[in-house]
Amino acid sequence: MAETHRGSCFCGAVEIEVKGAPEAMGYCHCGSCRSWSAGPVNAFTLWKPENVKVTKGAALVGKFAKTPNSDRQFCTKCGGHLMTYHPPFKLMDVYAATIPTESFKPGVHVNYAETVLRMKDGLPKMKDFPAELGGSGKAVAE
Ligand SMILES: [Zn+2]
Ligand SMILES: [Zn+2]
């Protein structure tokens, strides 16, 4: 039996469900995440899209793609953010805050070159993205 976790938007009109285990978890420090999340970092959990389902309020899900790399999904009733699909990686970023019962175990910090909030937690700090996701694969100092 695969583990299932449920989450919702800010108002609860949209509900989602994730199944199994995420492909990766960590923090993104990029300017886009900051602007979109209105927070200094974004805690992400990356999932194969087939493991993420909208279980309620699908008609209320709005989408916005400023670039082809990120299809951002939110609730059109409350404006609460749900997740972002990354077509180049074929992975869905479900924000850790959207699925509170999933135990968040960060493994990496990405786009740390852009950080405004240094986090000295001993985890690897990537300049941009790991090489296997099309980044430079370079690490930077905490
Ligand atoms: Zn909502
Ligand atoms: Zn980011």
Side-chain angles (χ1 to χ4, degrees):
M1 273 285 286
E3 223 182 305
T4 297
H5 293 279
R6 293 188 176 81
S8 70
C9 65
F10 185 61
C11 77
V14 178
E15 288 179 3
I16 66 161
E17 197 177 272
V18 294
K19 249 192 188 73
E23 303 302 304
M25 299 193 251
Y27 300 99
C28 185
H29 294 253
C30 82
S32 292
C33 280
R34 212 149 52 231
S35 178
W36 174 251
S37 71
V41 297
N42 179 40
F44 64 81
T45 70
L46 294 172
W47 300 78
K48 291 194 172 131
E50 61 266 29
N51 292 335
V52 182
K53 238 184 14 210
V54 175
T55 51
K56 190 183 131 190
L60 290 169
V61 175
K63 294 187 178 183
F64 182 76
K66 184 178 175 183
T67 74
N69 294 339
S70 298
D71 189 17
R72 297 168 193 277
Q73 306 189 14
F74 55 95
C75 169
T76 54
K77 193 173 164 192
C78 70
H81 299 169
L82 294 160
M83 52 198 169
T84 295
Y85 184 57
H86 297 296
F89 310 150
K90 295 190 172 59
L91 289 171
M92 185 73 88
D93 170 8
V94 180
Y95 310 125
T98 303
I99 41 171
T101 61
E102 170 75 49
S103 145
F104 182 63
K105 296 184 203 80
V108 67
H109 292 253
V110 298
N111 293 310
Y112 202 67
E114 295 180 45
T115 192
V116 297
L117 180 69
R118 297 198 169 268
M119 295 166 73
K120 304 201 173 184
D121 55 8
L123 292 173
K125 307 289 184 301
M126 308 301 297
K127 176 175 180 269
D128 39 70
F129 288 107
E132 57 269 32
L133 290 180
S136 70
K138 288 202 174 97
V140 292
E142 274 201 328

